Amino acid sequence: MDTIDLSNLNRQFLFRQKDVGRSKAETAAEFINTRIPLCRVTPHNCKIQDFDEDFYRGFHLVVCGLDSVVARRWINGMLLSLLEWDEDTGELDKSTIVPLVDGGTEGFKGNVRVIYPGVNACIDCTLDLFPPQINFPLCTIAHTPRLPEHCVEYSRVLLWPKEKPFGEEINIDGDDPQHISWIYEKARERADQFGIPGVTYRLTQGVVKHIIPAVASTNAVIAAACTTEVFKVVTSCCNPLNNYMVFNDSDGIYTYVYEQDRNPDCLACSKVPQKLELLPTSKLQDLLDHLVNSPVFQMKAPGVTTSIEGKNKTLYMQTPVSIEEATRKNLKLTLAELGLVDGCQLVVADTTSPAAVVFELKFKTD
């Protein structure tokens, strides 16, 4: 769904000045199909979450150059959901594996990995390798802004939910120019009020999407490495990367390859029941905060349901608004007050995974 920005023109060869504002996917496909007559690229100008299992099952291999950890975790979960096991032996059916070649950059740093879902380390096995997101204290954003980023976050975190500029149930889309423009204008007003310079459209988009400025040389190296790995996987001309390559050209050029081990307790691929250990006096809000802040789970907007005396019960959901309002009161109640008991199952849905995760609740003693 991303569109071409003027700054994109300095580090690739698929887009031209006339393409600014157009869909990246459609423009890139058009260029490649014209340049290479025997190649047919089909663009999809939409979210990866808009397609179901049948769509992804049709690929022999998936290559990722996504710009967020959430999107990477989602596609990782989707490919894992395609796996099938033999009912008698319990062995993985290798024909259901869709390999994943993932590449990412952060300024002068980059990495490439080759993932065989169900066989080697997946995206969620290595969550601790992703850089932590920068968050600003709410009190600073609301009362004492000092940086242009504070003004953008004020518009995004406080004004958007309050003013609902595009409708009651519309969340911010970092790829929608209208959404970014609204946040940018509100951030400029905030910056003018406090005499803070530096609020630009590009900065606003960067803060909303957690964008780190791209370096053309790093992107080129990582893209070349991904292409090489795809060639190796598709042709079997030689062994693919095993399974993680680190690149750094901030001070000279440094590369290192090592085998990342699977996490036996991985949330996505371990097939091990996950446990949540909390006090019975903990509030539901504490449970949700744990799912978001824990380095093991790193969820974004978890919703929780359970079964009490044989009846399904929604404890909390952030969307749609009507359900959020109806379940908001549960956030202040303790787990015991909600009727949860030791050993009960909690079903958690989150944007980081296409499938819900089942947890077993274990009560800790004081």
Side-chain angles (χ1 to χ4, degrees), residues 222-234:
I222 297 304
C226 286
T227 304
T228 301
E229 295 308 318
V230 169
F231 182 80
K232 288 193 283 186
V233 171
V234 171

Side-chain angles (χ1 to χ4, degrees), residues 186-207:
K186 293 296 182 180
R188 280 186 56 189
E189 294 175 8
R190 180 74 168 174
D192 291 342
Q193 180 183 353
F194 286 87
I196 300 172
V199 174
T200 64
Y201 183 91
R202 186 175 180 183
L203 174 85
T204 302
Q205 190 175 43
V207 172

Side-chain angles (χ1 to χ4, degrees), residues 23 26 61 67 134 167 173 186 194 209 214 217 222 225-226 228 247 265 273 279 283 314 359:
S23 159
E26 294 173 356
L61 178 144
D67 62 358
I134 298 175
D173 183 351
K186 293 296 182 180
F194 286 87
K209 297 182 66 178
S217 59
I222 297 304
C226 286
T228 301
F247 174 81
D265 298 318
L279 294 169
K283 292 180 170 56
T314 299
F359 289 89

Side-chain angles (χ1 to χ4, degrees), residues 57-204:
R57 192 176 282 112
F59 290 92
H60 295 99
L61 178 144
V62 172
V63 189
C64 275
L66 299 168
D67 62 358
S68 75
V69 178
V70 172
R72 280 183 168 85
R73 294 180 68 184
W74 191 92
I75 197 70
N76 177 72
M78 172 56 72
L79 298 184
L80 286 168
S81 72
L82 304 181
L83 299 178
E84 296 178 6
W85 281 263
D86 188 286
E87 293 183 0
D88 297 325
T89 65
E91 292 185 0
L92 175 63
D93 181 354
K94 299 295 178 62
S95 67
T96 62
I97 296 175
V98 178
L100 171 65
V101 176
D102 177 62
T105 64
E106 184 187 72
F108 290 99
K109 302 174 183 178
N111 67 81
V112 176
R113 65 175 75 182
V114 177
I115 297 172
Y116 287 91
V119 177
N120 62 359
C122 75
I123 297 290
D124 275 52
C125 286
T126 57
L127 280 183
D128 57 331
L129 295 180
F130 290 105
Q133 300 290 340
I134 298 175
N135 296 305
F136 301 105
L138 190 60
C139 57
T140 300
I141 296 172
H143 304 295
T144 56
R146 298 182 299 275
L147 301 172
E149 290 84 355
H150 293 163
C151 301
V152 176
E153 286 291 83
Y154 176 82
S155 303
R156 184 181 74 87
V157 176
L158 298 177
L159 290 187
W160 183 283
K162 180 180 179 181
E163 300 188 13
K164 301 180 176 61
F166 295 92
E168 189 73 25
E169 297 185 9
I170 303 299
N171 295 321
I172 295 174
D173 183 351
D175 294 321
D176 189 323
Q178 290 185 314
H179 290 196
I180 298 298
S181 295
W182 187 89
I183 296 173
Y184 165 57
E185 293 300 333
K186 293 296 182 180
R188 280 186 56 189
E189 294 175 8
R190 180 74 168 174
D192 291 342
Q193 180 183 353
F194 286 87
I196 300 172
V199 174
T200 64
Y201 183 91
R202 186 175 180 183
L203 174 85
T204 302

